[in-house]
Structures are given as structure tokens and as C-alpha cells.
Amino acid sequence: MKILSRMLVFAFLAMVAVGCDSEPTDSEKLVGAWTLTKITDGRGDITTPFKQQVTTLRVTMNADLSDKFEVLYSAAAKAAGATDVSSVGTYVVVEASKQVQLKNLGTTLTLNYAFSEGNNNEVTFSLPAAVVNVIFGSTQYQGTVAITATKP
């Protein structure tokens, strides 16, 4: 009996040790406030002109699968009629296809995602320019739009 109890204790400790070393899932890594640091489209890097219009683009994903999507415009963009957007919704992570589905403002926005190698605090979300053009009421974006975002 003593040998059996020692084996059970050893097995339990081995499971705990393995559990502590496991890599977090993408769903766990995506929790946090992600703020745009770079944006590209079919023409290349468009971060500077984008940030002249949009001072902050952020999505906050919470562990309970709720989210907040925020777009804060520059004073110049507001003078031209743009209004800040802040929308609370929900999200789903589809790890098999590396997609996040944000459900805000009565619609579902599907974003492909990829973490930067070795850095779980930087992710690139990508989606077709046609979708981004609808979001921003624009026709200027081309090809695939890739938004690199970081979290603290």
C-alpha cells in the first residue's frame, strides 16, 4: 500500500509539473488590450497617413469573451465629420483556422491572426481591404490590410 501511495503522489506531481509548463492557448494569449502600432495594405506601410486620421485603434478582449472595439479620430478627422467609435460586444477564437470573430455593432467581423515569433504581446490581424473600407467609410485601402497590434 505504501508503494501505491508513493506512486500516486509521484503521478500527481508529474501532472502538476507538466501542467505548469504548458504553452497558453491562442484564446488565452489574445486576452488583453491590443493597440495598433503598424498598418499595411496592398501598397505597403500606411501607418503614418492612417495615424493622421486615427489616433487610436484598439480592441480589448476579455477572458469572459466580451470585447470592446475603439476607434479614436484625430481633431482634423473630427473636423471633417468623423466620430469616435466605442462598441462593446463578444468574440470567438477559432484556433484551427487562426481567426477571431468580433461581434460588435450588429455584425460579425472575421480577422485572421498571427502572433509574432517568440512574442505573445504582438499580433497581426489581417482582413480584406473591402471590409476596412466599409468600417472607415473609405475607398482608399487596397488588397489585404494587416494591422500589427501590441499589448502591455
Side-chain angles (χ1 to χ4, degrees):
M1 187 65 142
K2 197 172 190 179
I3 292 174
L4 181 59
S5 65
R6 284 184 184 165
M7 288 175 54
L8 288 173
V9 168
F10 179 77
F12 174 76
L13 291 174
M15 286 189 306
V16 168
V18 169
C20 292
D21 290 341
S22 65
E23 177 73 17
T25 65
D26 286 357
S27 296
E28 293 166 334
K29 290 188 276 188
L30 284 166
V31 170
W34 296 95
T35 303
L36 176 136
T37 55
K38 180 179 179 180
I39 184 168
T40 63
D41 72 359
R43 299 165 295 170
D45 189 342
I46 57 170
T47 306
T48 299
F50 183 85
K51 285 190 169 187
Q52 290 171 349
Q53 296 296 311
V54 177
T55 59
T56 302
L57 175 61
R58 178 177 28 247
V59 63
T60 302
M61 292 184 244
N62 302 304
D64 67 358
L65 301 180
S66 64
D67 73 63
K68 183 176 184 182
F69 179 76
E70 299 172 279
V71 181
L72 305 178
Y73 287 95
S74 68
K78 288 178 182 178
T83 55
D84 292 343
V85 175
S86 180
S87 171
V88 175
T90 61
Y91 72 96
V92 174
V93 178
V94 184
E95 292 192 30
S97 59
K98 299 288 188 193
Q99 292 182 323
V100 176
Q101 297 170 347
L102 299 175
K103 298 176 182 183
N104 295 68
L105 301 171
T107 189
T108 299
L109 177 64
T110 300
L111 308 169
N112 296 309
Y113 69 86
F115 289 97
S116 296
E117 190 170 329
N119 185 356
N120 292 340
N121 293 323
E122 183 175 83
V123 67
T124 299
F125 299 105
S126 59
L127 64 164
V131 175
V132 177
N133 287 332
V134 170
I135 293 170
F136 292 106
S138 172
T139 58
Q140 68 180 341
Y141 302 103
Q142 301 172 12
T144 298
V145 175
I147 298 167
T148 302
T150 58
K151 68 178 179 177

